[in-house]
mmCIF file of all heavy atoms in Angstrom:
data_model
loop_
_atom_site.group_PDB
_atom_site.id
_atom_site.type_symbol
_atom_site.label_atom_id
_atom_site.label_comp_id
_atom_site.label_asym_id
_atom_site.label_seq_id
_atom_site.Cartn_x
_atom_site.Cartn_y
_atom_site.Cartn_z
ATOM 1 N N SER A 1042 76.093 78.450 101.461
ATOM 2 C CA SER A 1042 76.987 79.590 101.691
ATOM 3 C C SER A 1042 77.568 80.088 100.379
ATOM 4 O O SER A 1042 77.741 79.316 99.411
ATOM 5 C CB SER A 1042 78.154 79.208 102.621
ATOM 6 O OG SER A 1042 77.698 78.776 103.870
ATOM 7 N N ASN A 1043 77.845 81.380 100.342
ATOM 8 C CA ASN A 1043 78.645 81.939 99.260
ATOM 9 C C ASN A 1043 80.106 81.620 99.546
ATOM 10 O O ASN A 1043 80.590 81.817 100.660
ATOM 11 C CB ASN A 1043 78.470 83.457 99.189
ATOM 12 C CG ASN A 1043 77.065 83.857 98.785
ATOM 13 O OD1 ASN A 1043 76.653 83.650 97.660
ATOM 14 N ND2 ASN A 1043 76.321 84.451 99.728
ATOM 15 N N SER A 1044 80.806 81.115 98.542
ATOM 16 C CA SER A 1044 82.209 80.742 98.725
ATOM 17 C C SER A 1044 83.061 81.412 97.658
ATOM 18 O O SER A 1044 82.624 81.566 96.500
ATOM 19 C CB SER A 1044 82.368 79.221 98.650
ATOM 20 O OG SER A 1044 83.724 78.849 98.765
ATOM 21 N N MET A 1045 84.278 81.796 98.044
ATOM 22 C CA MET A 1045 85.173 82.452 97.095
ATOM 23 C C MET A 1045 86.613 82.063 97.398
ATOM 24 O O MET A 1045 87.048 82.098 98.553
ATOM 25 C CB MET A 1045 85.014 83.972 97.191
ATOM 26 C CG MET A 1045 85.977 84.761 96.315
ATOM 27 S SD MET A 1045 85.876 86.542 96.628
ATOM 28 C CE MET A 1045 84.217 86.884 96.054
ATOM 29 N N GLN A 1046 87.350 81.690 96.362
ATOM 30 C CA GLN A 1046 88.799 81.507 96.470
ATOM 31 C C GLN A 1046 89.458 82.737 95.871
ATOM 32 O O GLN A 1046 89.137 83.125 94.746
ATOM 33 C CB GLN A 1046 89.256 80.248 95.730
ATOM 34 C CG GLN A 1046 89.161 78.975 96.539
ATOM 35 C CD GLN A 1046 90.044 77.884 95.964
ATOM 36 O OE1 GLN A 1046 90.232 77.802 94.759
ATOM 37 N NE2 GLN A 1046 90.577 77.042 96.828
ATOM 38 N N TYR A 1047 90.429 83.328 96.578
ATOM 39 C CA TYR A 1047 90.961 84.611 96.133
ATOM 40 C C TYR A 1047 92.356 84.858 96.688
ATOM 41 O O TYR A 1047 92.797 84.213 97.661
ATOM 42 C CB TYR A 1047 90.033 85.743 96.591
ATOM 43 C CG TYR A 1047 90.027 85.957 98.097
ATOM 44 C CD1 TYR A 1047 90.774 86.988 98.672
ATOM 45 C CD2 TYR A 1047 89.294 85.123 98.937
ATOM 46 C CE1 TYR A 1047 90.783 87.181 100.044
ATOM 47 C CE2 TYR A 1047 89.296 85.312 100.305
ATOM 48 C CZ TYR A 1047 90.036 86.340 100.854
ATOM 49 O OH TYR A 1047 90.044 86.513 102.214
ATOM 50 N N GLN A 1048 93.051 85.789 96.061
ATOM 51 C CA GLN A 1048 94.293 86.341 96.591
ATOM 52 C C GLN A 1048 93.985 87.764 97.057
ATOM 53 O O GLN A 1048 93.519 88.586 96.266
ATOM 54 C CB GLN A 1048 95.384 86.375 95.511
ATOM 55 C CG GLN A 1048 95.833 85.024 94.997
ATOM 56 C CD GLN A 1048 96.708 84.272 95.997
ATOM 57 O OE1 GLN A 1048 97.015 84.779 97.074
ATOM 58 N NE2 GLN A 1048 97.094 83.068 95.631
ATOM 59 N N PRO A 1049 94.217 88.085 98.317
ATOM 60 C CA PRO A 1049 93.909 89.439 98.795
ATOM 61 C C PRO A 1049 94.859 90.464 98.182
ATOM 62 O O PRO A 1049 96.010 90.164 97.862
ATOM 63 C CB PRO A 1049 94.106 89.324 100.309
ATOM 64 C CG PRO A 1049 95.071 88.197 100.477
ATOM 65 C CD PRO A 1049 94.775 87.231 99.366
ATOM 66 N N VAL A 1050 94.388 91.675 98.058
ATOM 67 C CA VAL A 1050 95.197 92.735 97.464
ATOM 68 C C VAL A 1050 96.424 93.030 98.316
ATOM 69 O O VAL A 1050 97.426 93.564 97.814
ATOM 70 C CB VAL A 1050 94.339 94.001 97.267
ATOM 71 C CG1 VAL A 1050 93.990 94.641 98.606
ATOM 72 C CG2 VAL A 1050 95.038 95.003 96.364
ATOM 73 N N SER A 1051 96.387 92.668 99.581
ATOM 74 C CA SER A 1051 97.542 92.893 100.458
ATOM 75 C C SER A 1051 98.760 92.083 100.038
ATOM 76 O O SER A 1051 99.879 92.357 100.494
ATOM 77 C CB SER A 1051 97.176 92.548 101.907
ATOM 78 O OG SER A 1051 96.768 91.196 102.011
ATOM 79 N N ARG A 1052 98.572 91.108 99.177
ATOM 80 C CA ARG A 1052 99.694 90.285 98.711
ATOM 81 C C ARG A 1052 100.342 90.845 97.443
ATOM 82 O O ARG A 1052 101.206 90.197 96.858
ATOM 83 C CB ARG A 1052 99.220 88.855 98.441
ATOM 84 C CG ARG A 1052 98.878 88.077 99.700
ATOM 85 C CD ARG A 1052 98.457 86.647 99.383
ATOM 86 N NE ARG A 1052 98.287 85.866 100.594
ATOM 87 C CZ ARG A 1052 97.911 84.591 100.614
ATOM 88 N NH1 ARG A 1052 97.647 83.962 99.467
ATOM 89 N NH2 ARG A 1052 97.799 83.948 101.758
ATOM 90 N N PHE A 1053 99.927 92.034 97.040
ATOM 91 C CA PHE A 1053 100.447 92.611 95.797
ATOM 92 C C PHE A 1053 101.973 92.656 95.787
ATOM 93 O O PHE A 1053 102.615 92.220 94.827
ATOM 94 C CB PHE A 1053 99.871 94.019 95.608
ATOM 95 C CG PHE A 1053 100.484 94.780 94.467
ATOM 96 C CD1 PHE A 1053 100.113 94.510 93.154
ATOM 97 C CD2 PHE A 1053 101.443 95.768 94.698
ATOM 98 C CE1 PHE A 1053 100.674 95.212 92.094
ATOM 99 C CE2 PHE A 1053 102.004 96.475 93.643
ATOM 100 C CZ PHE A 1053 101.623 96.196 92.344
ATOM 101 N N TRP A 1054 102.583 93.178 96.861
ATOM 102 C CA TRP A 1054 104.034 93.331 96.866
ATOM 103 C C TRP A 1054 104.745 91.987 96.978
ATOM 104 O O TRP A 1054 105.863 91.834 96.469
ATOM 105 C CB TRP A 1054 104.460 94.276 97.983
ATOM 106 C CG TRP A 1054 104.136 95.696 97.646
ATOM 107 C CD1 TRP A 1054 103.186 96.499 98.227
ATOM 108 C CD2 TRP A 1054 104.734 96.490 96.613
ATOM 109 N NE1 TRP A 1054 103.157 97.730 97.622
ATOM 110 C CE2 TRP A 1054 104.097 97.760 96.634
ATOM 111 C CE3 TRP A 1054 105.736 96.255 95.677
ATOM 112 C CZ2 TRP A 1054 104.444 98.786 95.754
ATOM 113 C CZ3 TRP A 1054 106.081 97.267 94.795
ATOM 114 C CH2 TRP A 1054 105.447 98.522 94.842
ATOM 115 N N GLU A 1055 104.136 91.014 97.628
ATOM 116 C CA GLU A 1055 104.731 89.679 97.649
ATOM 117 C C GLU A 1055 104.759 89.089 96.239
ATOM 118 O O GLU A 1055 105.780 88.527 95.807
ATOM 119 C CB GLU A 1055 103.940 88.765 98.583
ATOM 120 C CG GLU A 1055 104.059 89.112 100.058
ATOM 121 C CD GLU A 1055 103.229 88.183 100.921
ATOM 122 O OE1 GLU A 1055 103.690 87.068 101.200
ATOM 123 O OE2 GLU A 1055 102.096 88.580 101.300
ATOM 124 N N PHE A 1056 103.664 89.219 95.515
ATOM 125 C CA PHE A 1056 103.619 88.732 94.144
ATOM 126 C C PHE A 1056 104.608 89.490 93.263
ATOM 127 O O PHE A 1056 105.282 88.899 92.413
ATOM 128 C CB PHE A 1056 102.197 88.862 93.587
ATOM 129 C CG PHE A 1056 101.321 87.678 93.861
ATOM 130 C CD1 PHE A 1056 100.908 87.370 95.152
ATOM 131 C CD2 PHE A 1056 100.909 86.861 92.837
ATOM 132 C CE1 PHE A 1056 100.107 86.277 95.407
ATOM 133 C CE2 PHE A 1056 100.095 85.753 93.070
ATOM 134 C CZ PHE A 1056 99.702 85.466 94.364
ATOM 135 N N GLN A 1057 104.692 90.806 93.470
ATOM 136 C CA GLN A 1057 105.637 91.612 92.697
ATOM 137 C C GLN A 1057 107.073 91.144 92.951
ATOM 138 O O GLN A 1057 107.873 91.020 92.017
ATOM 139 C CB GLN A 1057 105.498 93.080 93.077
ATOM 140 C CG GLN A 1057 104.264 93.759 92.494
ATOM 141 C CD GLN A 1057 104.525 94.357 91.131
ATOM 142 O OE1 GLN A 1057 105.499 95.047 90.907
ATOM 143 N NE2 GLN A 1057 103.628 94.095 90.195
ATOM 144 N N GLY A 1058 107.405 90.921 94.216
ATOM 145 C CA GLY A 1058 108.756 90.480 94.540
ATOM 146 C C GLY A 1058 109.094 89.128 93.934
ATOM 147 O O GLY A 1058 110.198 88.933 93.411
ATOM 148 N N ILE A 1059 108.149 88.196 93.998
ATOM 149 C CA ILE A 1059 108.389 86.863 93.441
ATOM 150 C C ILE A 1059 108.588 86.938 91.930
ATOM 151 O O ILE A 1059 109.549 86.375 91.382
ATOM 152 C CB ILE A 1059 107.211 85.924 93.776
ATOM 153 C CG1 ILE A 1059 107.152 85.665 95.288
ATOM 154 C CG2 ILE A 1059 107.333 84.606 93.018
ATOM 155 C CD1 ILE A 1059 105.890 84.963 95.739
ATOM 156 N N GLU A 1060 107.701 87.659 91.244
ATOM 157 C CA GLU A 1060 107.798 87.712 89.781
ATOM 158 C C GLU A 1060 109.032 88.484 89.329
ATOM 159 O O GLU A 1060 109.706 88.090 88.373
ATOM 160 C CB GLU A 1060 106.533 88.331 89.187
ATOM 161 C CG GLU A 1060 106.509 88.301 87.672
ATOM 162 C CD GLU A 1060 105.120 88.045 87.114
ATOM 163 O OE1 GLU A 1060 104.381 87.215 87.674
ATOM 164 O OE2 GLU A 1060 104.783 88.675 86.111
ATOM 165 N N THR A 1061 109.344 89.572 90.005
ATOM 166 C CA THR A 1061 110.547 90.328 89.657
ATOM 167 C C THR A 1061 111.785 89.467 89.863
ATOM 168 O O THR A 1061 112.720 89.484 89.041
ATOM 169 C CB THR A 1061 110.646 91.606 90.497
ATOM 170 O OG1 THR A 1061 109.462 92.385 90.312
ATOM 171 C CG2 THR A 1061 111.852 92.434 90.097
ATOM 172 N N GLY A 1062 111.814 88.701 90.951
ATOM 173 C CA GLY A 1062 112.940 87.800 91.196
ATOM 174 C C GLY A 1062 113.108 86.778 90.093
ATOM 175 O O GLY A 1062 114.243 86.459 89.681
ATOM 176 N N ILE A 1063 111.997 86.245 89.578
ATOM 177 C CA ILE A 1063 112.064 85.276 88.484
ATOM 178 C C ILE A 1063 112.704 85.905 87.255
ATOM 179 O O ILE A 1063 113.609 85.332 86.625
ATOM 180 C CB ILE A 1063 110.657 84.745 88.154
ATOM 181 C CG1 ILE A 1063 110.132 83.871 89.286
ATOM 182 C CG2 ILE A 1063 110.666 83.959 86.840
ATOM 183 C CD1 ILE A 1063 108.686 83.457 89.127
ATOM 184 N N PHE A 1064 112.272 87.109 86.906
ATOM 185 C CA PHE A 1064 112.788 87.750 85.698
ATOM 186 C C PHE A 1064 114.237 88.224 85.884
ATOM 187 O O PHE A 1064 115.008 88.225 84.917
ATOM 188 C CB PHE A 1064 111.876 88.892 85.262
ATOM 189 C CG PHE A 1064 110.687 88.417 84.482
ATOM 190 C CD1 PHE A 1064 109.482 88.142 85.111
ATOM 191 C CD2 PHE A 1064 110.780 88.202 83.113
ATOM 192 C CE1 PHE A 1064 108.398 87.679 84.394
ATOM 193 C CE2 PHE A 1064 109.699 87.742 82.387
ATOM 194 C CZ PHE A 1064 108.501 87.477 83.024
ATOM 195 N N LEU A 1065 114.608 88.606 87.083
ATOM 196 C CA LEU A 1065 116.009 88.964 87.322
ATOM 197 C C LEU A 1065 116.902 87.731 87.223
ATOM 198 O O LEU A 1065 118.035 87.813 86.713
ATOM 199 C CB LEU A 1065 116.158 89.625 88.693
ATOM 200 C CG LEU A 1065 115.552 91.023 88.827
ATOM 201 C CD1 LEU A 1065 115.771 91.557 90.243
ATOM 202 C CD2 LEU A 1065 116.137 91.985 87.799
ATOM 203 N N ALA A 1066 116.400 86.585 87.704
ATOM 204 C CA ALA A 1066 117.170 85.343 87.570
ATOM 205 C C ALA A 1066 117.340 84.962 86.098
ATOM 206 O O ALA A 1066 118.433 84.570 85.668
ATOM 207 C CB ALA A 1066 116.475 84.211 88.340
ATOM 208 N N LEU A 1067 116.265 85.094 85.322
ATOM 209 C CA LEU A 1067 116.359 84.818 83.884
ATOM 210 C C LEU A 1067 117.324 85.791 83.207
ATOM 211 O O LEU A 1067 118.079 85.409 82.303
ATOM 212 C CB LEU A 1067 114.974 84.921 83.244
ATOM 213 C CG LEU A 1067 113.961 83.845 83.631
ATOM 214 C CD1 LEU A 1067 112.590 84.163 83.031
ATOM 215 C CD2 LEU A 1067 114.426 82.470 83.164
ATOM 216 N N THR A 1068 117.328 87.042 83.655
ATOM 217 C CA THR A 1068 118.247 88.044 83.109
ATOM 218 C C THR A 1068 119.693 87.633 83.354
ATOM 219 O O THR A 1068 120.540 87.692 82.444
ATOM 220 C CB THR A 1068 117.978 89.416 83.758
ATOM 221 O OG1 THR A 1068 116.652 89.829 83.438
ATOM 222 C CG2 THR A 1068 118.965 90.465 83.268
ATOM 223 N N ALA A 1069 119.998 87.229 84.578
ATOM 224 C CA ALA A 1069 121.361 86.822 84.917
ATOM 225 C C ALA A 1069 121.801 85.612 84.086
ATOM 226 O O ALA A 1069 122.940 85.562 83.598
ATOM 227 C CB ALA A 1069 121.459 86.508 86.409
ATOM 228 N N ILE A 1070 120.908 84.646 83.908
ATOM 229 C CA ILE A 1070 121.243 83.458 83.119
ATOM 230 C C ILE A 1070 121.530 83.827 81.662
ATOM 231 O O ILE A 1070 122.508 83.369 81.058
ATOM 232 C CB ILE A 1070 120.095 82.429 83.202
ATOM 233 C CG1 ILE A 1070 119.983 81.871 84.618
ATOM 234 C CG2 ILE A 1070 120.294 81.303 82.200
ATOM 235 C CD1 ILE A 1070 118.746 81.045 84.860
ATOM 236 N N LEU A 1071 120.682 84.681 81.085
ATOM 237 C CA LEU A 1071 120.862 85.075 79.685
ATOM 238 C C LEU A 1071 122.156 85.851 79.476
ATOM 239 O O LEU A 1071 122.862 85.652 78.479
ATOM 240 C CB LEU A 1071 119.665 85.910 79.228
ATOM 241 C CG LEU A 1071 118.356 85.157 79.020
ATOM 242 C CD1 LEU A 1071 117.204 86.124 78.817
ATOM 243 C CD2 LEU A 1071 118.453 84.213 77.824
ATOM 244 N N LEU A 1072 122.501 86.730 80.410
ATOM 245 C CA LEU A 1072 123.746 87.488 80.277
ATOM 246 C C LEU A 1072 124.958 86.584 80.421
ATOM 247 O O LEU A 1072 125.971 86.757 79.717
ATOM 248 C CB LEU A 1072 123.785 88.612 81.310
ATOM 249 C CG LEU A 1072 122.781 89.752 81.090
ATOM 250 C CD1 LEU A 1072 122.902 90.796 82.187
ATOM 251 C CD2 LEU A 1072 122.979 90.401 79.722
ATOM 252 N N TYR A 1073 124.872 85.622 81.309
ATOM 253 C CA TYR A 1073 125.965 84.658 81.455
ATOM 254 C C TYR A 1073 126.162 83.866 80.165
ATOM 255 O O TYR A 1073 127.304 83.697 79.679
ATOM 256 C CB TYR A 1073 125.668 83.716 82.622
ATOM 257 C CG TYR A 1073 126.609 82.530 82.711
ATOM 258 C CD1 TYR A 1073 127.901 82.688 83.184
ATOM 259 C CD2 TYR A 1073 126.197 81.262 82.311
ATOM 260 C CE1 TYR A 1073 128.768 81.598 83.257
ATOM 261 C CE2 TYR A 1073 127.043 80.175 82.387
ATOM 262 C CZ TYR A 1073 128.331 80.351 82.856
ATOM 263 O OH TYR A 1073 129.183 79.274 82.921
ATOM 264 N N LEU A 1074 125.057 83.408 79.596
ATOM 265 C CA LEU A 1074 125.139 82.660 78.334
ATOM 266 C C LEU A 1074 125.644 83.546 77.194
ATOM 267 O O LEU A 1074 126.388 83.093 76.318
ATOM 268 C CB LEU A 1074 123.769 82.079 77.985
ATOM 269 C CG LEU A 1074 123.229 81.009 78.947
ATOM 270 C CD1 LEU A 1074 121.802 80.618 78.548
ATOM 271 C CD2 LEU A 1074 124.136 79.784 78.956
ATOM 272 N N ALA A 1075 125.236 84.826 77.211
ATOM 273 C CA ALA A 1075 125.685 85.746 76.165
ATOM 274 C C ALA A 1075 127.196 85.953 76.232
ATOM 275 O O ALA A 1075 127.879 85.977 75.193
ATOM 276 C CB ALA A 1075 124.962 87.091 76.309
#
């Protein structure tokens, strides 16, 4: 069989939300330290 491991394009906004949340959390930490 042909086999493929993949992330479907339908998960684009889920990935965007997770990554944006990470960078917003880092932003809050840096401003607090500043």
Side-chain angles (χ1 to χ4, degrees):
S1042 300
N1043 293 291
S1044 177
M1045 176 187 294
Q1046 275 200 327
Y1047 69 100
Q1048 295 286 358
V1050 70
S1051 59
R1052 289 182 173 179
F1053 172 78
W1054 286 110
E1055 291 179 81
F1056 272 68
Q1057 284 271 312
I1059 293 170
E1060 185 143 320
T1061 303
I1063 291 172
F1064 278 93
L1065 290 180
L1067 292 174
T1068 298
I1070 293 170
L1071 288 170
L1072 291 179
Y1073 170 75
L1074 295 175

